[in-house]
Amino acid sequence: MRAGFPDFRLGNVLATSFTGTLSERFGDSVERIPVPRRLIDWLAVYGLAVDSCTPEQLDLARQLRESIHAAATSAALRETLPAAAVQVIGDRSVEGRAAAILTPEGERRWRLGSASVEDALGVIAADAVDVISGERDGKLALCASPTCRAAFFDTSQSRTRKWCDMNTCGNRQKKARFNAGRSRNEGTR
């Protein structure tokens, strides 16, 4: 993406991908939208192009991101959803103005009521409602990496995925197990 900023971790589910804009929450956390311009970039990747973003709108986005993460984490653990998080998700959902449209290729795209961050956040919040409420076919889960613990939406056939992203968390854990096994084997020679 843009020089000087960490790459985005992109997924197929809008709401949980949005929570991934802050990764390694229980380690050395990585903020992937540190400035308003990066939020504009992230939204554009998901077809939610906005004209501009103020620091206040970035704060709204981060508040929504953390609310989605809190609610998705609770849902994955089968716990009661935090009322404050549910309120933020609901507020952002009803404040946004967007419509789903069908492309000639048969794909769904979003047409924002205006090119505003609030409209884009409304789409993300609505997606979060679908995912967290169980309206979509899949299962919310938490990454098995102890430093990550990202909420992700598992649509695999068996619904037994362990990692939010095999290319990062999964590979990191496999490499750590491999190196630990190698160290044990070298110690027994």
Side-chain angles (χ1 to χ4, degrees):
M1 289 284 152
R2 290 185 183 264
F5 294 110
D7 287 339
F8 295 135
R9 293 174 72 181
L10 304 173
N12 295 327
V13 178
L14 181 62
T16 54
S17 293
F18 187 56
T19 66
T21 60
L22 178 65
S23 57
E24 295 299 312
R25 291 170 181 269
F26 299 97
D28 292 327
S29 62
V30 178
E31 176 61 72
R32 295 172 191 282
I33 55 169
V35 296
R37 180 70 223 176
R38 289 301 281 167
L39 178 59
I40 293 169
D41 295 342
W42 189 90
L43 292 169
V45 168
Y46 283 94
L48 300 170
V50 299
D51 291 334
S52 63
C53 179
T54 66
E56 293 77 20
Q57 289 170 318
L58 178 60
D59 289 343
L60 281 177
R62 288 180 178 158
Q63 181 186 39
L64 176 61
R65 174 186 69 193
E66 295 312 304
S67 295
I68 294 170
H69 184 266
T73 297
S74 293
L77 296 172
R78 294 180 171 36
E79 297 175 352
T80 302
L81 303 182
V86 169
Q87 183 70 46
V88 168
I89 294 166
D91 289 349
R92 293 289 83 74
S93 181
V94 299
E95 288 173 4
R97 293 175 300 134
I101 60 169
L102 188 62
T103 68
E105 298 78 31
E107 296 175 351
R108 181 187 73 179
R109 294 278 186 252
W110 289 99
R111 182 177 297 151
L112 302 181
S114 65
S116 74
V117 169
E118 289 81 4
D119 287 353
L121 295 180
V123 171
I124 297 168
D127 190 61
V129 170
D130 284 350
V131 169
I132 295 167
S133 69
E135 290 295 315
R136 301 240 310 257
D137 187 30
K139 177 184 103 174
L140 277 165
L142 299 177
C143 183
S145 168
T147 61
C148 178
R149 301 299 287 163
F152 66 91
F153 195 61
D154 183 3
T155 58
S156 68
Q157 188 171 2
S158 64
R159 307 288 196 266
T160 57
R161 238 178 78 196
K162 292 177 63 173
W163 316 109
C164 64
D165 183 357
M166 193 60 210
N167 291 326
T168 54
C169 292
N171 283 343
R172 196 177 308 134
Q173 293 298 315
K174 284 183 171 188
K175 183 178 177 181
R177 280 196 312 267
F178 174 78
N179 287 337
R182 207 161 103 191
S183 294
R184 280 193 302 271
N185 289 341
E186 288 175 358
T188 59
R189 289 184 190 174

mmCIF file of all heavy atoms in Angstrom, residues 3 11 15 17 24 35 49 59 62 64-65 70-71 85 91 94 112 116 122-123 128 143 148 155 170:
data_model
loop_
_atom_site.group_PDB
_atom_site.id
_atom_site.type_symbol
_atom_site.label_atom_id
_atom_site.label_comp_id
_atom_site.label_asym_id
_atom_site.label_seq_id
_atom_site.Cartn_x
_atom_site.Cartn_y
_atom_site.Cartn_z
ATOM 1 N N ALA A 3 3.776 3.813 1.217
ATOM 2 C CA ALA A 3 5.069 3.691 1.874
ATOM 3 C C ALA A 3 4.986 4.239 3.297
ATOM 4 O O ALA A 3 4.342 5.246 3.560
ATOM 5 C CB ALA A 3 6.122 4.446 1.075
ATOM 6 N N GLY A 11 -9.464 -9.551 4.150
ATOM 7 C CA GLY A 11 -10.215 -10.791 4.213
ATOM 8 C C GLY A 11 -11.474 -10.683 3.377
ATOM 9 O O GLY A 11 -11.725 -9.660 2.734
ATOM 10 N N ALA A 15 -16.771 -6.774 7.940
ATOM 11 C CA ALA A 15 -16.745 -6.369 9.348
ATOM 12 C C ALA A 15 -15.524 -6.900 10.085
ATOM 13 O O ALA A 15 -14.854 -6.152 10.805
ATOM 14 C CB ALA A 15 -18.024 -6.828 10.049
ATOM 15 N N SER A 17 -12.749 -7.999 8.718
ATOM 16 C CA SER A 17 -11.555 -7.419 8.098
ATOM 17 C C SER A 17 -11.297 -6.027 8.662
ATOM 18 O O SER A 17 -10.149 -5.625 8.858
ATOM 19 C CB SER A 17 -11.707 -7.344 6.585
ATOM 20 O OG SER A 17 -11.742 -8.635 6.045
ATOM 21 N N GLU A 24 -2.465 -7.860 16.214
ATOM 22 C CA GLU A 24 -1.595 -8.213 17.335
ATOM 23 C C GLU A 24 -2.028 -7.472 18.600
ATOM 24 O O GLU A 24 -1.207 -6.868 19.296
ATOM 25 C CB GLU A 24 -0.125 -7.941 17.002
ATOM 26 C CG GLU A 24 0.412 -8.797 15.879
ATOM 27 C CD GLU A 24 0.354 -10.287 16.175
ATOM 28 O OE1 GLU A 24 0.780 -10.714 17.260
ATOM 29 O OE2 GLU A 24 -0.153 -11.021 15.315
ATOM 30 N N VAL A 35 -3.751 7.233 10.373
ATOM 31 C CA VAL A 35 -4.098 8.590 9.954
ATOM 32 C C VAL A 35 -5.341 8.527 9.060
ATOM 33 O O VAL A 35 -5.640 7.481 8.473
ATOM 34 C CB VAL A 35 -2.927 9.269 9.191
ATOM 35 C CG1 VAL A 35 -1.700 9.446 10.100
ATOM 36 C CG2 VAL A 35 -2.546 8.488 7.945
ATOM 37 N N ALA A 49 -15.519 3.983 -1.529
ATOM 38 C CA ALA A 49 -14.721 5.189 -1.758
ATOM 39 C C ALA A 49 -15.381 6.409 -1.130
ATOM 40 O O ALA A 49 -16.573 6.659 -1.314
ATOM 41 C CB ALA A 49 -14.526 5.413 -3.256
ATOM 42 N N ASP A 59 -11.733 8.802 14.394
ATOM 43 C CA ASP A 59 -12.096 8.379 15.752
ATOM 44 C C ASP A 59 -13.397 7.579 15.755
ATOM 45 O O ASP A 59 -13.508 6.564 16.451
ATOM 46 C CB ASP A 59 -12.227 9.589 16.686
ATOM 47 C CG ASP A 59 -10.889 10.234 17.017
ATOM 48 O OD1 ASP A 59 -9.826 9.596 16.806
ATOM 49 O OD2 ASP A 59 -10.909 11.397 17.485
ATOM 50 N N ARG A 62 -12.593 4.119 14.438
ATOM 51 C CA ARG A 62 -11.911 3.288 15.441
ATOM 52 C C ARG A 62 -12.873 2.840 16.531
ATOM 53 O O ARG A 62 -12.791 1.709 17.022
ATOM 54 C CB ARG A 62 -10.735 4.041 16.031
ATOM 55 C CG ARG A 62 -9.577 4.175 15.071
ATOM 56 C CD ARG A 62 -8.459 4.926 15.713
ATOM 57 N NE ARG A 62 -7.302 5.041 14.855
ATOM 58 C CZ ARG A 62 -6.381 5.971 15.004
ATOM 59 N NH1 ARG A 62 -6.473 6.862 15.967
ATOM 60 N NH2 ARG A 62 -5.346 6.005 14.185
ATOM 61 N N LEU A 64 -16.064 2.291 16.106
ATOM 62 C CA LEU A 64 -16.836 1.206 15.500
ATOM 63 C C LEU A 64 -16.001 -0.065 15.429
ATOM 64 O O LEU A 64 -16.487 -1.149 15.765
ATOM 65 C CB LEU A 64 -17.314 1.596 14.099
ATOM 66 C CG LEU A 64 -18.054 0.495 13.328
ATOM 67 C CD1 LEU A 64 -19.318 0.054 14.066
ATOM 68 C CD2 LEU A 64 -18.374 0.958 11.913
ATOM 69 N N ARG A 65 -14.749 0.054 15.010
ATOM 70 C CA ARG A 65 -13.875 -1.125 14.912
ATOM 71 C C ARG A 65 -13.783 -1.844 16.251
ATOM 72 O O ARG A 65 -13.941 -3.069 16.327
ATOM 73 C CB ARG A 65 -12.475 -0.686 14.464
ATOM 74 C CG ARG A 65 -11.470 -1.824 14.470
ATOM 75 C CD ARG A 65 -10.070 -1.355 14.180
ATOM 76 N NE ARG A 65 -9.523 -0.541 15.260
ATOM 77 C CZ ARG A 65 -8.414 0.186 15.152
ATOM 78 N NH1 ARG A 65 -7.751 0.227 14.013
ATOM 79 N NH2 ARG A 65 -7.968 0.892 16.174
ATOM 80 N N ALA A 70 -15.260 -6.178 20.033
ATOM 81 C CA ALA A 70 -15.783 -6.596 21.336
ATOM 82 C C ALA A 70 -17.020 -7.480 21.171
ATOM 83 O O ALA A 70 -17.134 -8.534 21.822
ATOM 84 C CB ALA A 70 -16.117 -5.369 22.182
ATOM 85 N N ALA A 71 -17.937 -7.081 20.306
ATOM 86 C CA ALA A 71 -19.162 -7.876 20.110
ATOM 87 C C ALA A 71 -18.859 -9.209 19.436
ATOM 88 O O ALA A 71 -19.407 -10.251 19.828
ATOM 89 C CB ALA A 71 -20.176 -7.072 19.291
ATOM 90 N N ALA A 85 -21.036 -1.747 23.012
ATOM 91 C CA ALA A 85 -20.611 -2.111 21.657
ATOM 92 C C ALA A 85 -21.816 -2.261 20.739
ATOM 93 O O ALA A 85 -21.810 -1.784 19.593
ATOM 94 C CB ALA A 85 -19.800 -3.410 21.684
ATOM 95 N N ASP A 91 -25.911 2.452 16.190
ATOM 96 C CA ASP A 91 -25.884 3.875 15.838
ATOM 97 C C ASP A 91 -25.224 4.104 14.485
ATOM 98 O O ASP A 91 -25.732 4.856 13.656
ATOM 99 C CB ASP A 91 -25.159 4.696 16.908
ATOM 100 C CG ASP A 91 -25.939 4.817 18.208
ATOM 101 O OD1 ASP A 91 -27.139 4.452 18.241
ATOM 102 O OD2 ASP A 91 -25.330 5.270 19.205
ATOM 103 N N VAL A 94 -27.554 2.810 11.524
ATOM 104 C CA VAL A 94 -28.708 3.629 11.148
ATOM 105 C C VAL A 94 -28.311 5.010 10.636
ATOM 106 O O VAL A 94 -29.073 5.639 9.908
ATOM 107 C CB VAL A 94 -29.753 3.768 12.290
ATOM 108 C CG1 VAL A 94 -30.304 2.416 12.681
ATOM 109 C CG2 VAL A 94 -29.182 4.490 13.489
ATOM 110 N N LEU A 112 -22.837 4.434 -1.864
ATOM 111 C CA LEU A 112 -22.991 5.290 -0.700
ATOM 112 C C LEU A 112 -23.922 6.447 -1.035
ATOM 113 O O LEU A 112 -23.912 6.966 -2.152
ATOM 114 C CB LEU A 112 -21.627 5.826 -0.261
ATOM 115 C CG LEU A 112 -20.571 4.760 0.093
ATOM 116 C CD1 LEU A 112 -19.283 5.429 0.539
ATOM 117 C CD2 LEU A 112 -21.075 3.804 1.153
ATOM 118 N N SER A 116 -19.269 9.914 2.052
ATOM 119 C CA SER A 116 -18.855 10.255 3.415
ATOM 120 C C SER A 116 -18.408 9.018 4.192
ATOM 121 O O SER A 116 -18.877 7.908 3.944
ATOM 122 C CB SER A 116 -20.001 10.937 4.172
ATOM 123 O OG SER A 116 -20.994 9.994 4.518
ATOM 124 N N GLY A 122 -21.587 2.942 7.992
ATOM 125 C CA GLY A 122 -22.909 2.326 8.061
ATOM 126 C C GLY A 122 -22.931 0.973 7.375
ATOM 127 O O GLY A 122 -23.568 0.030 7.857
ATOM 128 N N VAL A 123 -22.230 0.857 6.258
ATOM 129 C CA VAL A 123 -22.147 -0.424 5.537
ATOM 130 C C VAL A 123 -21.397 -1.448 6.394
ATOM 131 O O VAL A 123 -21.826 -2.600 6.524
ATOM 132 C CB VAL A 123 -21.456 -0.240 4.168
ATOM 133 C CG1 VAL A 123 -21.177 -1.585 3.513
ATOM 134 C CG2 VAL A 123 -22.295 0.645 3.259
ATOM 135 N N ALA A 128 -21.544 -6.089 10.152
ATOM 136 C CA ALA A 128 -21.299 -6.635 11.493
ATOM 137 C C ALA A 128 -22.580 -7.208 12.091
ATOM 138 O O ALA A 128 -22.562 -8.277 12.712
ATOM 139 C CB ALA A 128 -20.709 -5.565 12.405
ATOM 140 N N CYS A 143 -8.757 -16.081 16.637
ATOM 141 C CA CYS A 143 -7.465 -16.592 16.193
ATOM 142 C C CYS A 143 -6.766 -17.300 17.354
ATOM 143 O O CYS A 143 -6.767 -16.810 18.493
ATOM 144 C CB CYS A 143 -6.612 -15.440 15.666
ATOM 145 S SG CYS A 143 -5.014 -15.967 15.013
ATOM 146 N N CYS A 148 -2.537 -12.440 18.938
ATOM 147 C CA CYS A 148 -3.483 -11.864 17.986
ATOM 148 C C CYS A 148 -4.908 -11.865 18.548
ATOM 149 O O CYS A 148 -5.468 -10.827 18.830
ATOM 150 C CB CYS A 148 -3.429 -12.616 16.658
ATOM 151 S SG CYS A 148 -4.600 -11.998 15.430
ATOM 152 N N THR A 155 -15.861 -19.555 7.314
ATOM 153 C CA THR A 155 -16.815 -20.106 6.356
ATOM 154 C C THR A 155 -16.316 -21.418 5.760
ATOM 155 O O THR A 155 -16.877 -21.903 4.781
ATOM 156 C CB THR A 155 -17.101 -19.097 5.221
ATOM 157 O OG1 THR A 155 -15.873 -18.771 4.580
ATOM 158 C CG2 THR A 155 -17.776 -17.844 5.752
ATOM 159 N N GLY A 170 -0.948 -18.124 11.258
ATOM 160 C CA GLY A 170 -0.755 -19.568 11.103
ATOM 161 C C GLY A 170 0.680 -19.933 10.817
ATOM 162 O O GLY A 170 1.249 -20.829 11.451
#
